[in-house]
Amino acid sequence: MVTSVDTVTKKTVAVGPVALECGETLQDVHIAVETVGKLSVDRDNVVLVCHALTGDAHAVGDERDPGWWDGLIGPGRYIDTNRYFVVTTNVLGGCNGSTGPSSINPATGRPYGSSFPPVTIRDMVHVQYRTLQKMGIDRVHTIVGGSMGGMQVLEWGILYPEAVENLIPIATTAALSPMAIAYNDIGRQAIMSDPDWQGGDYYPGPGPKKGLAIARMVGMVTYRTDTLFHQRFQRRLQTNVPEWSRDATFQVESYLRYQGEKLVNRFDANSYLCLLKAMDTHDVGRGRGGMAAALSKIRSRALIIGIEEDRLFQIEEQRTLYRELREQGKDAQLWELRSPYGHDAFLIEYEKMGPVIREFLEG
Amino acid sequence: MVTSVDTVTKKTVAVGPVALECGETLQDVHIAVETVGKLSVDRDNVVLVCHALTGDAHAVGDERDPGWWDGLIGPGRYIDTNRYFVVTTNVLGGCNGSTGPSSINPATGRPYGSSFPPVTIRDMVHVQYRTLQKMGIDRVHTIVGGSMGGMQVLEWGILYPEAVENLIPIATTAALSPMAIAYNDIGRQAIMSDPDWQGGDYYPGPGPKKGLAIARMVGMVTYRTDTLFHQRFQRRLQTNVPEWSRDATFQVESYLRYQGEKLVNRFDANSYLCLLKAMDTHDVGRGRGGMAAALSKIRSRALIIGIEEDRLFQIEEQRTLYRELREQGKDAQLWELRSPYGHDAFLIEYEKMGPVIREFLEG
């Protein structure tokens, strides 16, 4: 059974002015939202999906316009849109319909660019909460997301413990590790070193395409694994010349460069910088007396999913989260999957994750 | 006991024209050499040290001018310069005294720049062999090196099996993995995207400083581990401002950026590109009917050292090498060490590696 495109509703929700953690206020914030399924009369069947760094609100689609989580969500799928009302929002700071650095600053009539304020994961979650309120939704059945999406899931459980019943953080962490901060900074330096970045005020120019492509390449190597690259590329060349030739390109290089170029065509470099920064600030314990104190606020059930081969958010980070919740007597489960895809398994391994998520939702 | 600077002899050896694997010939090749200790009358005590990507011929020094492998090599140390005559050469393609892209092309009177030919690990080894011959050395007691140095060690065993008694390849591989090729390509793209690279013909200008710094940052994250960064930096800030501030810098970022800037001041970007390419072409089986056929040529004893936490040259790569040599009945040992330093342990963990190397040399 395939969901028809008619079942996906796209809209933009105006949430008004938003005071940010940094002390600045964004006027006239808009958030892009997509919904699939039907809100129940009791309004108790909402599944909120939080996307990762370069994701967007189009988690669920159809054959003509596939969503990035179609393998998990749809009619009759693991998260069944015949049963749940699935809501996905594009994050604050993004570039796919929500207010971000490329949006017009109402005060100046020009894009924010370098003047766009720093945004945190907590800011994103506050804005999501207000977006749902504007849509008439006060309670959420389940919040699910991987990577940066998983950070939002955790913050939801802490900031709005009474508003959410179930949390499913996937391939994520309670606080971004120094190694992940390091990788983020390489991407950041690549973008900011590109002369076309122009200090962030490059609109309506093309922006730092080369820098953003390199940043994406840095991301890709952390999202995948040695094993996968061995299986897929070995040392094969793309070109029919000897390896030592100036014109030689290995298939893995060709693949990575293609991934870089592909992102440049669909993503804004300033948004990328904004979201890297938001991830860097992710530490549930910040300003709350540490991780344990922060997690103590959670009232929801939690299914934590980790990937053993994840190089970016190491499995030990999910285990730490699980142990802490259990020690506090919370209703938490940990499920570890193995996958050569590494971190990106949360966007690929639906047959492995799906049944566990379905069982958790039914349990 | 400290070796005095008088015991280190520095020279440049002219090896004449060199025909490369790529078919081009480099005229008038010079190789920077440093030696420590005394060549025995029988000329049977030579230890050849091969350096890694950004290394040089100064493996052994003293308090005033430390060498990069002083912890391992020196009078009374694990490789004892009272006993061995230690020779270190700067590789072909390098920028610390040997012929490389920044050298003057005798045909034009200008630096090679973009016209410098592609060089392979095998080319480096051929040139090292000829350098030793010019020094009156026909046989080598031991060849030791880590990372790219280890690639040269393996090629020595294959190209000159009768000329070398013992091989000590550390933290290396029989063929560069697709993941390592991917990391190399990110560094390459960062350098080549920097407008100051100017297609490789930037001399006498400063060259692509930003691009090279980013390439170094990419290298650094693969040389170290999550564990080390956790221990050393946690999520501490360098600056006394909140994490979400525009001015916030994490200590790990500050460290990485410093490492990038430091390399720029001592290394030529074109040499960096040249050596990345040489590593990419490293596959002992290339043109020899595969790895097993290539390794069958080895006649030397071998001590393979691997680091379990090495993210760049995974421990399984050293195990594969060891198993293959053993299956062929070679005199090979594998020694695995554990270290939070990961790949870079070969430049740090002397107390762990040293005794094993000493015992192997004596055995």
Side-chain angles (χ1 to χ4, degrees):
Chain A
M1 188 162 43
V2 174
T3 174
S4 108
V5 80
D6 303 328
T7 65
V8 179
T9 304
K10 305 187 184 206
K11 58 180 138 188
T12 303
V13 175
V15 295
V18 171
L20 302 170
E21 258 202 282
C22 69
E24 298 180 40
T25 296
L26 274 172
Q27 302 298 332
D28 200 18
V29 168
H30 287 74
I31 294 296
V33 180
E34 293 193 20
T35 65
V36 185
K38 218 174 150 183
L39 185 58
S40 62
V41 177
D42 294 340
R43 301 177 173 245
D44 62 356
N45 69 333
V46 174
V47 173
L48 177 66
V49 175
C50 302
H51 68 74
L53 177 57
T54 62
D56 55 32
H58 194 56
V60 191
D62 61 14
E63 284 173 339
R64 279 174 293 170
D65 184 18
W68 53 265
W69 237 356
D70 281 339
L72 197 64
I73 309 172
R77 298 239 173 83
Y78 302 111
I79 297 176
D80 187 352
T81 50
N82 292 326
R83 182 163 169 186
Y84 295 107
F85 181 59
V86 176
V87 180
T88 312
T89 69
N90 182 218
V91 292
L92 179 68
C95 54
N96 285 292
S98 292
T99 298
S102 60
S103 303
I104 299 297
N105 179 349
T108 65
R110 291 200 309 257
Y112 283 101
S114 63
S115 71
F116 196 78
V119 159
T120 66
I121 302 292
R122 298 181 196 178
D123 291 327
M124 291 177 187
V125 168
H126 285 304
V127 169
Q128 272 176 328
Y129 182 77
R130 282 176 54 184
T131 303
L132 293 183
Q133 282 193 313
K134 296 271 179 191
M135 293 168 67
I137 297 166
D138 285 322
R139 277 189 60 78
V140 178
H141 181 281
T142 295
I143 303 185
V144 59
S147 198
M148 189 184 84
M151 299 176 184
Q152 296 161 60
V153 172
L154 293 174
E155 281 293 346
W156 260 96
I158 294 163
L159 290 169
Y160 301 108
E162 305 303 336
V164 54
E165 208 169 320
N166 302 294
L167 304 173
I168 311 181
I170 309 175
T172 195
T173 183
L176 196 72
S177 72
M179 183 58 89
I181 292 172
Y183 275 105
N184 280 354
D185 198 47
I186 297 172
R188 177 182 298 117
Q189 298 302 322
I191 292 170
M192 292 173 65
S193 296
D194 186 333
D196 290 332
W197 182 58
Q198 295 181 45
D201 296 310
Y202 52 79
Y203 308 108
K209 284 175 174 285
K210 287 181 180 170
L212 180 58
I214 292 170
R216 177 61 163 181
M217 292 171 73
V218 172
M220 287 305 297
V221 293
T222 68
Y223 303 154
R224 302 296 171 95
T225 67
D226 290 67
T227 307
L228 188 79
F229 281 9
H230 265 298
Q231 286 171 0
R232 186 174 291 181
F233 307 114
Q234 297 174 351
R235 290 179 46 85
R236 282 191 301 265
L237 291 170
Q238 189 75 6
T239 41
N240 192 21
V241 292
E243 285 184 8
W244 36 254
S245 160
R246 287 184 176 86
D247 302 323
T249 305
F250 288 90
Q251 286 184 7
V252 66
E253 294 175 319
S254 177
Y255 168 80
L256 264 195
R257 293 175 196 171
Y258 171 73
Q259 293 296 330
E261 284 158 25
K262 214 170 64 167
L263 183 75
V264 164
N265 294 323
R266 71 172 179 88
F267 214 85
D268 175 59
N270 278 337
S271 269
Y272 199 90
L273 290 176
C274 178
L275 304 188
L276 290 184
K277 178 76 177 172
M279 284 198 286
D280 284 354
T281 68
H282 175 65
D283 176 358
V284 297
R286 173 166 54 78
R288 292 170 175 154
M291 183 181 73
L295 295 179
S296 74
K297 300 183 193 212
I298 289 177
R299 295 284 167 269
S300 327
R301 292 168 72 224
L303 168 63
I304 300 159
I305 298 181
I307 300 139
E308 284 190 48
E309 291 83 356
D310 192 335
R311 285 180 79 142
L312 192 57
F313 296 87
Q314 308 227 328
I315 190 69
E316 201 48 52
E317 301 181 55
Q318 285 103 61
R319 289 177 186 158
T320 301
L321 192 54
Y322 167 71
R323 276 194 300 263
E324 186 56 45
L325 288 171
R326 292 291 286 188
E327 277 172 23
Q328 297 189 15
K330 310 284 186 198
D331 184 354
Q333 302 172 39
L334 172 66
W335 192 74
E336 301 183 3
L337 70 98
R338 300 218 57 171
S339 168
Y341 287 100
H343 183 65
D344 263 358
F346 81 94
L347 293 168
I348 295 159
E349 300 276 18
Y350 303 119
E351 309 302 310
K352 292 181 182 172
M353 292 191 306
V356 182
I357 289 174
R358 180 165 51 198
E359 195 182 333
F360 174 73
L361 291 181
E362 286 169 0
Chain B
M1 189 161 42
V2 174
T3 175
S4 108
V5 81
D6 303 328
T7 66
V8 179
T9 304
K10 306 187 184 207
K11 58 179 137 190
T12 302
V13 176
V15 295
V18 171
L20 302 170
E21 259 201 282
C22 68
E24 299 179 40
T25 296
L26 273 173
Q27 303 298 332
D28 199 17
V29 168
H30 286 74
I31 294 296
V33 180
E34 292 194 21
T35 65
V36 185
K38 218 174 148 182
L39 185 59
S40 63
V41 177
D42 295 338
R43 299 176 175 246
D44 62 355
N45 68 333
V46 175
V47 172
L48 177 66
V49 174
C50 302
H51 69 74
L53 176 58
T54 62
D56 55 32
H58 194 56
V60 191
D62 61 14
E63 283 174 341
R64 279 175 293 170
D65 185 17
W68 53 264
W69 237 357
D70 281 340
L72 197 64
I73 309 172
R77 297 239 173 83
Y78 302 111
I79 296 177
D80 187 351
T81 50
N82 290 327
R83 183 165 169 185
Y84 296 106
F85 181 60
V86 175
V87 180
T88 312
T89 69
N90 182 217
V91 293
L92 179 68
C95 54
N96 285 293
S98 292
T99 298
S102 60
S103 304
I104 299 297
N105 179 350
T108 65
R110 292 199 309 255
Y112 283 100
S114 63
S115 71
F116 196 78
V119 160
T120 67
I121 303 291
R122 298 181 196 179
D123 290 327
M124 291 177 186
V125 168
H126 285 305
V127 169
Q128 272 177 327
Y129 181 79
R130 283 175 55 183
T131 304
L132 292 182
Q133 282 193 313
K134 296 271 179 190
M135 294 168 67
I137 298 166
D138 286 321
R139 278 189 60 77
V140 178
H141 181 281
T142 295
I143 303 186
V144 59
S147 198
M148 189 184 83
M151 299 176 184
Q152 297 161 59
V153 172
L154 293 174
E155 280 293 346
W156 260 96
I158 295 164
L159 290 169
Y160 301 108
E162 306 302 336
V164 55
E165 208 169 319
N166 301 294
L167 305 173
I168 310 181
I170 309 175
T172 195
T173 182
L176 197 71
S177 72
M179 183 58 89
I181 292 172
Y183 275 106
N184 280 354
D185 197 47
I186 298 172
R188 177 182 298 116
Q189 298 303 321
I191 292 171
M192 292 172 65
S193 297
D194 186 332
D196 289 333
W197 182 58
Q198 296 181 45
D201 297 310
Y202 52 80
Y203 309 107
K209 284 176 173 285
K210 286 182 182 171
L212 180 58
I214 292 170
R216 177 60 163 180
M217 292 171 74
V218 173
M220 287 305 297
V221 293
T222 68
Y223 304 153
R224 301 297 171 94
T225 67
D226 289 66
T227 307
L228 187 80
F229 281 9
H230 265 299
Q231 287 171 1
R232 187 174 292 182
F233 307 114
Q234 297 173 352
R235 290 181 45 86
R236 283 191 300 266
L237 290 171
Q238 189 75 5
T239 41
N240 192 21
V241 292
E243 286 184 7
W244 36 253
S245 160
R246 286 183 175 86
D247 303 323
T249 305
F250 288 91
Q251 287 184 7
V252 66
E253 295 175 318
S254 176
Y255 168 79
L256 264 195
R257 293 176 196 171
Y258 171 73
Q259 293 296 329
E261 284 159 23
K262 213 169 65 166
L263 183 76
V264 164
N265 294 324
R266 70 172 179 87
F267 213 85
D268 175 59
N270 277 338
S271 269
Y272 199 90
L273 291 176
C274 178
L275 304 187
L276 289 184
K277 178 77 177 172
M279 284 197 286
D280 285 353
T281 68
H282 175 64
D283 176 358
V284 297
R286 173 166 55 78
R288 291 169 176 154
M291 183 181 74
L295 296 178
S296 74
K297 301 184 190 203
I298 290 178
R299 294 284 166 269
S300 327
R301 294 168 70 224
L303 167 64
I304 299 159
I305 298 181
I307 300 140
E308 285 190 47
E309 291 82 357
D310 193 335
R311 285 181 78 142
L312 192 56
F313 297 87
Q314 308 226 328
I315 190 69
E316 202 48 52
E317 301 182 55
Q318 284 103 60
R319 289 176 186 159
T320 302
L321 192 54
Y322 167 71
R323 275 195 299 263
E324 186 55 44
L325 288 171
R326 292 291 288 189
E327 277 173 23
Q328 296 189 15
K330 311 284 186 196
D331 184 354
Q333 302 172 39
L334 172 66
W335 192 73
E336 302 182 2
L337 70 97
R338 300 218 57 171
S339 169
Y341 288 99
H343 183 65
D344 263 359
F346 81 94
L347 294 168
I348 294 159
E349 299 277 19
Y350 303 119
E351 309 302 310
K352 292 180 182 172
M353 291 190 308
V356 183
I357 290 174
R358 180 164 52 197
E359 194 182 333
F360 174 74
L361 291 180
E362 286 169 0

